[in-house]
Amino acid sequence: MTLPSWPLGQSLSVLSQKSRTKLLSIFHSARRRQLAAVLLLCVGAMQLHAAVVRGRVTDQLGAAVANAHVQLIQHGKVVATTTSGTDGRYELTSSAKGRFALLTVVPTFRQTVSDAFYAGQLGIVDRDIVLQPQGVTQQIVVTATGTPTPDAQVSSAISTLPTTDFATRMQVLDDLRLAPGMDVVQTGQRGGATSLFIRGGNSDANKVMMDGIPAEDVGGAFDFGNISTTGLQSVEVYRGPDSVVYGSDAAAGVVSFETTRGYTARPVLNYSGDAGNFGTYRNEVTVGGTRHKLDYFGAFSRFDTSNALKMDQYHDATSVANLGYSLTGSTQARFTVRNSVSATGLPGALDFTGISNDGKQSDQDLYLGGTLENQTVSGWHNLVRYAAARKREQSKQWYAAGIPIQVTQFGYPSTNYYGLPVTIRGANGYTATGQAVMNFGGSSYPLGYDQANNRDQLQYQSDYKFTQHLAGLLGFVYEDERGVFNYPSYAEHERLERRNYAYNLALNGDIRNRLFFSLAGALVKNHLFGVEATPRLGFAWYPVRPGHGGFHGTKLRFNFSRGVQEPNLASQFGSLNVLLNQQGDQADVQQYHIAPIGAELSRSYDGGVEQSILSQKMVARVGYFHNEFGRQIEFVDAGTLGTDFGIAPSIITVINNTYGGAYLNSLDFSAQGIETELEWRVMQGLFVRGGYTYLDAKVQRSFSGDNIFPSQNPNIPGVNIGASSPLVGGRPFRRPPHTGFAALEYTYRTLSAGLSGGFASRSDDSTFLSSYSSLAGDNSLLLPNRDLDFGYAKLDANLLYQFKPRIIVFTQLDNLLGEQHMGPIGYPALPFNFRAGLKLRLGGD
């Protein structure tokens, strides 16, 4: 009989030590060689029908961890156990198939439990294990490199908001304040348009991803006020341009939302219900689990509130589904869908008028995607994803609210509708008294517009690990964008379609697990502006590795990147080049070199130091960033166009009567500053974190009419005012120079409590009430831009108590200080508000 060809030691690895010793003695007995061969064949057959799970155990810097105790868990029971070798490698075998998890225990690290995964009887599954320190927890991030990477190894500035932060929240906007370099501005109360400014960049310069699906409008605009916490597993924020990985619109930052997945062997049903003041109530139901190769999660929530203003009701219904199917242990398919239907009132700037407009804005946002990915045992990972976004917005105003008053405008009598006499006070101490226009005459009601932003995208990504210290990535993205904008009152009906491509290539690696590097580049080919290159270079170096001791763990990092942003729908159709060509004025186009509207560009340098303190129980971070935002698009009024370019008066008249002006790539501004952050696990159950950001943003160039002919309030002589846009040398609007946050989380047995605060200083802005917006017909309702918006300190608190094993009661208290000015001037914020309710859990493991 011929002996098996595989090594004896490998064949015997599934047996106990006692059995191996006995079998070896039989094998070395000449008279029983045939019996040993038969037994070895049986063992080999057992192994061929076993699920094999293997990988490496490393610390957060990728260094191998030897003697790690790794257990393979199935249905809550240990089915296999091993320890990692000197190179950190481990291998576990089970004759069963199904869903497993890995439990890893090392005395000097936090106990680690992996996400559940599927393994078949003939499958080989690669699962690397990254151990976390016992102090402040490190996170696995994706936005920096496009592949899961411990944040300790990346050079970029990234913040991760875990699902525990959403336990009592119903929207994500307040949690977005709890990160450095972030400023959240909500115009009004619940449901009001909410913008995010990252490190001084424009609010439409952020790439927003929903399970890998681009979620922003064509041109980058995104309203964070309608994002419910329902079904969210985590939120990851990348601060800085990252157009290498994400293409157009990632000019200032990236916000990535991830949906929860099912993980329990038995179905689990969760219900949460609460109510509060201002007619607020919310209900949420989720269900999730696994069955064989399938994992599933579904959720639905409905939130309603009347807010604190008349005609400002808001509601949102969110539906979520996440389905995963393991074709094999190394190949998975996943389908996700998120649908939000919301509507809110449009009372307007009540501090300016004293009367609410009767309007309504409705939004329907649908994001769906399908992903197929494969991880081979040789370290080669491939991903194909189809992503689709369908976004619609409708705005209606039912009648002309306000006091009808006949005035003379442009030499003709007209009946406009004005608010009550008010006194407007800015945070800078200036005041103005008068009556502001609410609605102009001559329009037929109901008055409104509707728009749609649709996107289909196909993405391919392939990454390969050449060695444990070097990996490469290449990718390709094709997208078809379609936009529609209808404004019947102005006979405006616009449509566009853009077919865009992007190619990216990256090398990521390390030298001796101390120096980590990322070299990447991309070519973005946009249907409108052509080809733009976006390079990125990053380094992170540990002169002192993390470990036990007072100051063990010092990280120095540097990052350079370039971003690109595509124009939105309005600027494409309202660009000066398009308007002149429509009038047949090619002569002015050529004489003044008026190019088509082009890409907005950004360039960023940032670096910093991260220091671990007290054996990583505390982490302090300090960083500096310098951003340049060039070729930004701005609106230039018709009068300024005639003055600057000398365009024929007849054409200027047509432009003025149709659009009032045109869009140009004529704005440049810079934004530099310092970010600080501290995280401290004071003791078991008590965690504290906080941060502060200083921002120095300055307008460097602008062709707007405000800069050519700055406005002045006759009651405030000698002070130039940008009525619609910031003046050169001033700050961009709504970007406070000082922002900060603080949060405290405490857990003791069945009690959990939290206190958090977001802080902002005064910022520049405008009342936007120039001459024709005032009953007096002058600029008497304009106030100086500097420090016009109020600073604020928004404090929130929450409390959870586990009354029964499956019953939790909770409360959420928002705006404890009752701040009234947390948004743009004129829009009162939601005062102190609270909700209280309970959570029920049925089923599960």
Side-chain angles (χ1 to χ4, degrees):
M1 179 177 287
T2 303
L3 289 175
S5 60
W6 53 77
L8 176 63
Q10 181 180 354
S11 302
L12 303 181
S13 63
V14 296
L15 300 179
S16 65
Q17 180 63 42
K18 182 178 180 180
S19 299
R20 288 199 297 268
T21 303
K22 184 175 182 180
L23 187 57
L24 284 171
S25 67
I26 295 174
F27 179 78
H28 290 296
S29 172
R31 290 185 296 179
R32 299 190 178 182
R33 184 179 301 273
Q34 290 184 343
L35 177 59
V38 173
L39 291 174
L40 286 172
L41 285 172
C42 294
V43 170
M46 290 172 56
Q47 191 172 21
L48 286 173
H49 289 83
V52 177
V53 182
R54 63 191 186 187
R56 291 182 76 234
V57 183
T58 65
D59 63 12
Q60 65 267 39
L61 298 186
V65 176
N67 299 317
H69 189 64
V70 185
Q71 295 179 332
L72 189 65
I73 309 296
Q74 186 179 42
H75 303 310
K77 298 179 180 179
V78 178
V79 297
T81 301
T82 190
T83 56
S84 60
T86 55
D87 59 354
R89 296 192 178 277
Y90 75 93
E91 183 172 309
L92 293 162
T93 309
S94 172
S95 59
K97 64 179 180 179
R99 294 201 167 267
F100 300 89
L102 294 170
L103 173 64
T104 308
V105 179
V106 181
T108 55
F109 291 91
R110 186 189 301 271
Q111 180 175 288
T112 301
V113 180
S114 73
D115 293 333
F117 57 89
Y118 176 84
Q121 284 184 329
L122 301 179
I124 298 177
V125 179
D126 276 343
R127 281 292 184 275
D128 289 341
I129 300 170
V130 180
L131 299 177
Q132 302 295 337
Q134 291 183 342
V136 176
T137 302
Q138 303 286 338
Q139 301 291 337
I140 302 297
V141 298
V142 179
T143 52
T145 61
T147 58
T149 306
D151 63 356
Q153 300 180 21
V154 301
S155 60
S156 308
I158 299 177
S159 298
T160 302
L161 307 177
T163 185
T164 52
D165 287 0
F166 308 146
T168 58
R169 300 279 197 190
M170 71 271 197
Q171 292 179 312
V172 301
L173 60 93
D174 287 319
D175 286 292
L176 290 173
R177 304 180 198 269
L178 306 181
M182 312 275 282
D183 183 46
V184 177
V185 178
Q186 185 169 40
T187 305
Q189 304 186 1
R190 298 285 187 196
T194 303
S195 304
L196 175 64
F197 300 90
I198 299 180
R199 287 180 167 179
N202 289 329
S203 61
D204 59 358
N206 308 315
K207 192 73 174 183
V208 181
M209 310 294 290
M210 192 72 66
D211 292 311
I213 306 163
E216 74 280 2
D217 292 350
V218 176
F222 188 83
D223 184 1
F224 288 89
N226 292 327
I227 299 297
S228 166
T229 58
T230 299
L232 289 183
Q233 176 66 30
S234 65
V235 181
E236 190 174 310
V237 181
Y238 178 105
R239 304 191 299 279
D242 197 8
S243 292
V244 170
V245 176
Y246 299 98
S248 181
D249 299 337
V254 179
V255 182
S256 178
F257 298 96
E258 182 180 345
T259 301
T260 302
R261 301 182 181 185
Y263 61 92
T264 58
R266 296 174 56 197
V268 57
L269 176 69
N270 290 299
Y271 166 77
S272 178
D274 59 72
N277 58 343
F278 301 120
T280 300
Y281 60 92
R282 182 175 187 265
N283 290 280
E284 178 185 87
V285 177
T286 70
V287 62
T290 62
R291 182 166 178 80
H292 303 310
K293 296 184 178 183
L294 176 71
D295 65 83
Y296 56 91
F297 176 84
F300 175 80
S301 70
R302 168 79 186 213
F303 171 69
D304 290 80
T305 184
S306 297
N307 282 319
L309 305 177
K310 292 182 178 180
M311 302 180 184
D312 196 21
Q313 293 85 359
Y314 169 69
H315 74 259
D316 173 82
T318 299
S319 307
V320 179
N322 188 340
L323 303 175
Y325 187 80
S326 298
L327 302 173
T328 67
S330 59
T331 304
Q332 294 82 38
R334 185 161 299 280
F335 171 78
T336 61
V337 60
R338 185 180 187 90
N339 184 57
S340 173
V341 179
S342 63
T344 184
L346 299 172
L350 200 62
D351 289 344
F352 292 169
T353 62
I355 302 174
S356 291
N357 261 317
D358 187 7
K360 174 186 177 182
Q361 178 176 310
S362 303
D363 291 89
Q364 301 91 43
D365 300 327
L366 173 66
Y367 313 104
L368 59 89
T371 303
L372 182 66
E373 57 183 323
N374 172 265
Q375 174 70 57
T376 68
V377 294
S378 59
W380 186 20
H381 172 256
N382 289 275
L383 177 148
V384 178
R385 175 182 290 126
Y386 166 73
R390 301 290 185 266
K391 306 184 67 175
R392 293 190 61 200
E393 176 183 315
Q394 305 93 34
S395 178
K396 286 283 187 182
Q397 185 172 331
W398 308 111
Y399 62 89
I403 303 170
I405 300 177
Q406 190 175 66
V407 296
T408 300
Q409 289 184 335
F410 306 108
Y412 298 96
S414 175
T415 299
N416 293 338
Y417 298 83
Y418 292 84
L420 300 173
V422 296
T423 296
I424 300 171
R425 179 180 179 274
N428 50 22
Y430 288 100
T431 61
T433 300
Q435 286 180 267
V437 69
M438 294 183 64
N439 296 286
F440 289 99
S443 299
S444 58
Y445 290 84
L447 178 69
Y449 70 86
D450 66 89
Q451 65 178 12
N453 289 270
N454 299 327
R455 180 184 287 110
D456 290 276
Q457 185 185 87
L458 186 64
Q459 175 191 5
Y460 171 70
Q461 176 180 305
S462 181
D463 49 273
Y464 182 73
K465 185 172 288 188
F466 300 101
T467 70
Q468 295 300 329
H469 301 283
L470 181 64
L473 177 147
L474 61 88
F476 168 77
V477 174
Y478 165 78
E479 66 179 1
D480 181 15
E481 297 178 311
R482 302 173 301 282
V484 178
F485 183 82
N486 296 308
Y487 207 153
S489 297
Y490 291 90
E492 189 174 356
H493 303 279
E494 310 287 7
R495 290 180 176 271
L496 69 77
E497 182 172 9
R498 300 175 187 167
R499 294 185 175 93
N500 310 319
Y501 306 84
Y503 308 83
N504 64 310
L505 179 68
L507 285 176
N508 303 297
D510 69 88
I511 300 174
R512 297 183 180 276
N513 303 116
R514 279 185 180 269
L515 178 62
F516 300 87
F517 60 87
S518 177
L519 308 173
L523 290 177
V524 178
K525 185 180 185 302
N526 187 275
H527 181 87
L528 181 62
F529 60 71
V531 178
E532 291 287 348
T534 58
R536 190 185 69 199
L537 169 68
F539 295 98
W541 176 50
Y542 283 84
V544 180
R545 286 180 56 87
H548 292 278
F551 291 89
H552 278 253
T554 303
K555 174 183 177 181
L556 304 177
R557 62 174 188 85
F558 168 80
N559 205 62
F560 163 77
S561 52
R562 189 172 183 264
V564 61
Q565 181 182 352
E566 66 176 344
N568 60 25
L569 180 68
S571 59
Q572 176 178 344
F573 286 104
S575 70
L576 182 57
N577 177 276
V578 168
L579 297 182
L580 291 179
N581 280 305
Q582 286 177 350
Q583 299 302 313
D585 188 9
Q586 284 80 22
D588 282 331
V589 170
Q590 296 176 4
Q591 179 179 354
Y592 297 107
H593 306 289
I594 302 173
I597 205 76
E600 298 177 280
L601 304 177
S602 66
R603 184 179 67 247
S604 176
Y605 301 88
D606 75 273
V609 58
E610 177 179 310
Q611 180 65 56
S612 297
I613 306 170
L614 301 176
S615 302
Q616 302 181 75
K617 292 182 179 179
M618 181 185 297
V619 175
R621 302 180 182 93
V622 178
Y624 167 78
F625 61 88
H626 184 101
N627 301 326
E628 293 286 343
F629 297 94
R631 294 174 48 85
Q632 303 296 293
I633 296 173
E634 66 176 344
F635 183 80
V636 180
D637 64 84
T640 303
L641 293 174
T643 301
D644 285 354
F645 295 100
I647 299 171
S650 59
I651 295 178
I652 290 296
T653 300
V654 173
I655 294 176
N656 183 64
N657 293 338
T658 306
Y659 295 101
Y663 292 94
L664 292 171
N665 290 100
S666 55
L667 173 66
D668 296 340
F669 67 93
S670 64
Q672 63 178 333
I674 297 174
E675 295 175 342
T676 64
E677 185 178 12
L678 179 69
E679 297 181 355
W680 182 20
R681 190 166 296 279
V682 183
M683 60 182 184
Q684 185 66 31
L686 181 59
F687 182 64
V688 177
R689 61 192 178 103
Y692 162 77
T693 300
Y694 169 71
L695 174 67
D696 178 20
K698 184 179 296 184
V699 176
Q700 300 163 318
R701 184 184 71 138
S702 173
F703 277 7
S704 73
D706 288 318
N707 281 282
I708 306 302
F709 305 107
S711 300
Q712 287 194 2
N713 185 327
N715 300 317
I716 312 174
V719 179
N720 289 338
I721 300 172
S724 301
S725 58
L727 302 178
V728 172
R731 304 174 188 143
F733 288 166
R734 301 178 184 177
R735 268 149 275 197
H738 306 280
T739 56
F741 68 94
L744 182 150
E745 302 168 9
Y746 177 72
T747 303
Y748 178 73
R749 295 182 180 176
T750 58
L751 179 67
S752 178
L755 178 66
S756 63
F759 313 97
S761 66
R762 295 178 294 179
S763 57
D764 289 13
D765 207 340
S766 175
T767 62
F768 299 98
L769 299 174
S770 53
S771 57
Y772 293 109
S773 296
S774 167
L775 179 60
D778 57 17
N779 293 326
S780 57
L781 289 181
L782 282 179
L783 293 178
N785 305 123
R786 189 73 169 185
D787 291 337
L788 184 61
D789 286 341
F790 288 84
Y792 64 85
K794 186 179 188 297
L795 296 181
D796 304 328
N798 65 73
L799 183 70
L800 297 96
Y801 176 69
Q802 189 168 344
F803 180 69
K804 295 287 186 180
R806 294 180 180 270
I807 302 176
I808 295 176
V809 295
F810 70 93
T811 185
Q812 174 73 39
L813 311 175
D814 289 333
N815 196 7
L816 295 173
L817 301 180
E819 294 275 11
Q820 286 290 290
H821 302 285
M822 292 189 294
I825 187 171
Y827 293 86
L830 186 66
F832 169 73
N833 59 98
F834 66 87
R835 296 178 298 113
L838 58 82
K839 296 176 181 288
L840 304 177
R841 178 184 175 94
L842 300 175
D845 296 338

